[in-house]
Amino acid sequence: MYKKIGSFFMVVMILSILAACSDGSAGGASSDDVIDIVWYPNESGNELKAARDEIGNVIEEETGKEVEHHLTTDYAIAIETIANDNAELAFMGAQGYIEANSKNDAVKPMVVPTGPSGTLEDAMYHSWLAVNVDDQTNYKNGDDFSLDTIEGKRFSFVSNSSTSGFVVPSSTIMENFSDKELTEEDLMEGGPLFEQVLFGGSHQGSAVNLLNGNADVAAFCDTCVENYVEVAEGEENTVGSVYKVKDNAEEPFNTVTGSEFTLMNVTPVLNAPFVANTNLLSDEEFETIQNLFSSEEIANNEAIFVPEDSDESGLFFKSGDERFAPVEDQWFNPIRELSATK
């Protein structure tokens, strides 16, 4: 049974074992000459090292400070690291930001990647519920997919702190099964709705839980798996479309290459922000980095916004006028409201 990391002792114990090594593990005390960036498990893979390094390089050039990248294997560690004044910057989902901000109001949003319009109007990605392609008829009523069919199945989420890998899909599921009066906790363990509940620890991990047969249905997002999969049938982010794991996919998908899954539910989600701890960054430093991220230089940097037709892996992709745009706390209220209804 999965439980939230709720005890202060557990958090202290986790953080106490973190080594402050460059492009390694999270944690460590901040230095006046160092800017620490903490990354979620989804963005901590080796295939994204070049993208992380480029972001670090441009910050170093602009600020004159050294950048250290702290990689994590757990959402809670990343959230606690930025909230406990152990990192200046973090890239995290909306829910993770909300949790960090509630623990420490010095954690502020800085920028989010826009949509193809270059504005916040379409600054969104997609939360998926997926099933293995050979099993898709088991999740339909007639010709249409139905969430009613997931009852009693083995389900994989990402982390209870994941916006698109838990908060959004759990809200969708609870709304569908409103007659059962389910709670968030009911979806985190086997019994009330699902036979078994797994947490992948990352979007990649949740997807692999589905593809290796450990789960029947899995929640994960499009942007976190786009380096590993490609559309085999249908249109991107469309219910009924089939995706296939690329033959050259890196870990953890290297064990399930060629496997296919179908989207049974697709929900738009607010894009993830870069956030800053203003206890550690001065107002001037915050503004300097925010202006840097929002600049044309960064928008046109193909190591940061990888062209859509490129074979390179990346954190962000460019199909139109994507760039970073400044954002304020209230922009995330729709996600707060989802959490508040549980």
Side-chain angles (χ1 to χ4, degrees), residues 83 97 100-109 276-279:
Y97 158 66
N101 175 260
S102 71
K103 296 172 182 289
N104 182 350
D105 62 9
V107 178
K108 305 292 185 185
N277 185 317
T278 56
N279 283 338

Short mmCIF file of all heavy atoms in Angstrom, two decimals, residues 83 97 100-109 276-279:
data_model
loop_
_atom_site.label_atom_id
_atom_site.label_comp_id
_atom_site.label_asym_id
_atom_site.label_seq_id
_atom_site.Cartn_x
_atom_site.Cartn_y
_atom_site.Cartn_z
N ALA A 83 11.87 23.64 -1.09
CA ALA A 83 11.11 24.25 0.01
C ALA A 83 11.98 24.47 1.25
O ALA A 83 11.72 25.40 2.03
CB ALA A 83 9.91 23.38 0.37
N TYR A 97 4.86 22.59 -7.41
CA TYR A 97 5.06 24.00 -7.04
C TYR A 97 4.09 24.38 -5.93
O TYR A 97 4.48 25.03 -4.94
CB TYR A 97 4.87 24.93 -8.24
CG TYR A 97 4.55 26.33 -7.79
CD1 TYR A 97 5.49 27.09 -7.09
CD2 TYR A 97 3.27 26.87 -7.97
CE1 TYR A 97 5.18 28.35 -6.61
CE2 TYR A 97 2.96 28.13 -7.49
CZ TYR A 97 3.91 28.86 -6.81
OH TYR A 97 3.60 30.10 -6.31
N ALA A 100 5.30 22.97 -2.68
CA ALA A 100 6.50 23.66 -2.20
C ALA A 100 6.16 25.06 -1.69
O ALA A 100 6.67 25.50 -0.65
CB ALA A 100 7.54 23.74 -3.32
N ASN A 101 5.30 25.77 -2.41
CA ASN A 101 4.89 27.11 -2.01
C ASN A 101 4.11 27.10 -0.69
O ASN A 101 4.24 28.01 0.13
CB ASN A 101 4.06 27.74 -3.12
CG ASN A 101 3.48 29.09 -2.74
OD1 ASN A 101 2.32 29.18 -2.38
ND2 ASN A 101 4.30 30.13 -2.84
N SER A 102 3.31 26.05 -0.49
CA SER A 102 2.55 25.96 0.77
C SER A 102 3.48 25.70 1.96
O SER A 102 3.18 26.10 3.08
CB SER A 102 1.48 24.87 0.68
OG SER A 102 2.07 23.58 0.67
N LYS A 103 4.61 25.03 1.71
CA LYS A 103 5.59 24.79 2.76
C LYS A 103 6.47 26.01 3.01
O LYS A 103 6.95 26.22 4.12
CB LYS A 103 6.49 23.59 2.38
CG LYS A 103 5.76 22.26 2.27
CD LYS A 103 6.69 21.19 1.70
CE LYS A 103 6.00 19.86 1.53
NZ LYS A 103 5.71 19.19 2.81
N ASN A 104 6.69 26.80 1.94
CA ASN A 104 7.61 27.93 2.03
C ASN A 104 7.17 28.96 0.99
O ASN A 104 7.39 28.77 -0.20
CB ASN A 104 9.04 27.47 1.76
CG ASN A 104 10.06 28.58 1.89
OD1 ASN A 104 9.72 29.76 2.01
ND2 ASN A 104 11.33 28.22 1.86
N ASP A 105 6.57 30.07 1.44
CA ASP A 105 6.03 31.03 0.48
C ASP A 105 7.12 31.84 -0.22
O ASP A 105 6.83 32.67 -1.07
CB ASP A 105 5.01 31.96 1.14
CG ASP A 105 5.58 32.81 2.27
OD1 ASP A 105 6.81 32.83 2.45
OD2 ASP A 105 4.77 33.47 2.96
N ALA A 106 8.40 31.56 0.11
CA ALA A 106 9.49 32.16 -0.64
C ALA A 106 9.70 31.47 -1.98
O ALA A 106 10.42 31.98 -2.84
CB ALA A 106 10.79 32.10 0.16
N VAL A 107 9.10 30.30 -2.17
CA VAL A 107 9.17 29.60 -3.45
C VAL A 107 8.16 30.24 -4.40
O VAL A 107 6.95 30.22 -4.15
CB VAL A 107 8.89 28.10 -3.30
CG1 VAL A 107 8.92 27.40 -4.66
CG2 VAL A 107 9.91 27.47 -2.35
N LYS A 108 8.65 30.84 -5.48
CA LYS A 108 7.82 31.59 -6.41
C LYS A 108 7.97 31.04 -7.83
O LYS A 108 9.06 30.63 -8.23
CB LYS A 108 8.22 33.07 -6.42
CG LYS A 108 8.22 33.75 -5.06
CD LYS A 108 6.82 33.89 -4.50
CE LYS A 108 6.85 34.69 -3.20
NZ LYS A 108 5.50 34.74 -2.56
N PRO A 109 6.90 31.09 -8.62
CA PRO A 109 7.03 30.68 -10.02
C PRO A 109 7.79 31.75 -10.80
O PRO A 109 7.67 32.94 -10.52
CB PRO A 109 5.58 30.58 -10.50
CG PRO A 109 4.84 31.54 -9.63
CD PRO A 109 5.52 31.52 -8.29
N ALA A 276 11.63 29.54 -8.28
CA ALA A 276 12.81 30.05 -7.59
C ALA A 276 12.53 30.19 -6.11
O ALA A 276 11.41 30.50 -5.70
CB ALA A 276 13.21 31.41 -8.17
N ASN A 277 13.55 29.95 -5.31
CA ASN A 277 13.47 30.19 -3.88
C ASN A 277 14.03 31.58 -3.60
O ASN A 277 15.24 31.81 -3.71
CB ASN A 277 14.26 29.13 -3.11
CG ASN A 277 14.11 29.27 -1.61
OD1 ASN A 277 14.16 30.36 -1.07
ND2 ASN A 277 13.93 28.14 -0.92
N THR A 278 13.16 32.51 -3.27
CA THR A 278 13.57 33.91 -3.10
C THR A 278 14.24 34.18 -1.76
O THR A 278 14.67 35.30 -1.50
CB THR A 278 12.37 34.85 -3.30
OG1 THR A 278 11.31 34.50 -2.39
CG2 THR A 278 11.84 34.76 -4.73
N ASN A 279 14.32 33.15 -0.91
CA ASN A 279 15.20 33.28 0.26
C ASN A 279 16.66 33.21 -0.15
O ASN A 279 17.54 33.71 0.56
CB ASN A 279 14.92 32.16 1.28
CG ASN A 279 13.66 32.41 2.08
OD1 ASN A 279 13.21 33.55 2.20
ND2 ASN A 279 13.10 31.34 2.64
#
